Amino acid sequence: VQLQASGGGLVQAGGSLRLSCAASGRTISFNNMGWFRQAPGKERDFVAAISKSGGSTVYADSVEGRFTIARDNAKNTVYLQMNSLKPEDTAVYYCATVREWPDRPYNYWGQGTLVTVSS
């Protein structure tokens, strides 16, 4: 499966962005999916995960209450709604299929999307 994240950009602190992850090559409806991010000079971290049906979600403590993960299996797409953004949210965001629920991804990373939050 190929994963393409989009929707990043420059936003002021307190603003919002909606990221999309479009999958191609095969359906992702049989996969738990997750969002991860990598800030400059840091390791890639877990952000959020959603189950195959969308009925279960898990969030990192740092984004709980501000971010919402969702999916549309008919569109083969996963979303990340990000509200009340903070400068520390600045990172390249990636989506991935989840190997072990909720935060262990398969080691395949498609193209990420850069989110920059200015103070």
Side-chain angles (χ1 to χ4, degrees):
V1 63
Q2 290 77 47
L3 301 171
Q4 175 76 48
S6 62
L10 174 63
V11 63
Q12 289 188 333
S16 298
L17 283 174
R18 188 194 193 205
L19 306 184
S20 298
C21 172
S24 60
R26 65 166 178 82
T27 180
I28 56 170
S29 61
F30 303 123
N31 291 100
N32 299 321
M33 297 295 296
W35 283 96
F36 299 78
R37 66 186 181 186
Q38 187 167 20
K42 297 187 177 181
E43 294 186 352
R44 190 151 23 203
D45 290 332
F46 168 75
V47 175
I50 187 165
S51 61
K52 302 177 186 66
S53 66
S56 295
T57 57
V58 176
Y59 297 92
D61 290 344
S62 58
V63 307
E64 180 81 54
R66 299 189 297 122
F67 290 11
T68 302
I69 188 171
R71 67 189 299 163
D72 185 337
N73 285 339
K75 295 183 178 179
N76 225 25
T77 301
V78 180
Y79 304 97
L80 186 68
Q81 177 67 43
M82 306 187 297
N83 299 329
S84 302
L85 282 161
K86 304 175 181 180
E88 51 264 44
D89 294 319
T90 294
V92 178
Y93 284 72
Y94 302 86
C95 64
T97 51
V98 171
R99 173 176 57 82
E100 182 177 339
W101 181 260
D103 59 357
R104 296 291 185 265
Y106 283 100
N107 192 26
Y108 169 76
W109 302 99
Q111 184 172 341
T113 187
L114 176 63
V115 172
T116 304
V117 184
S118 63
S119 57

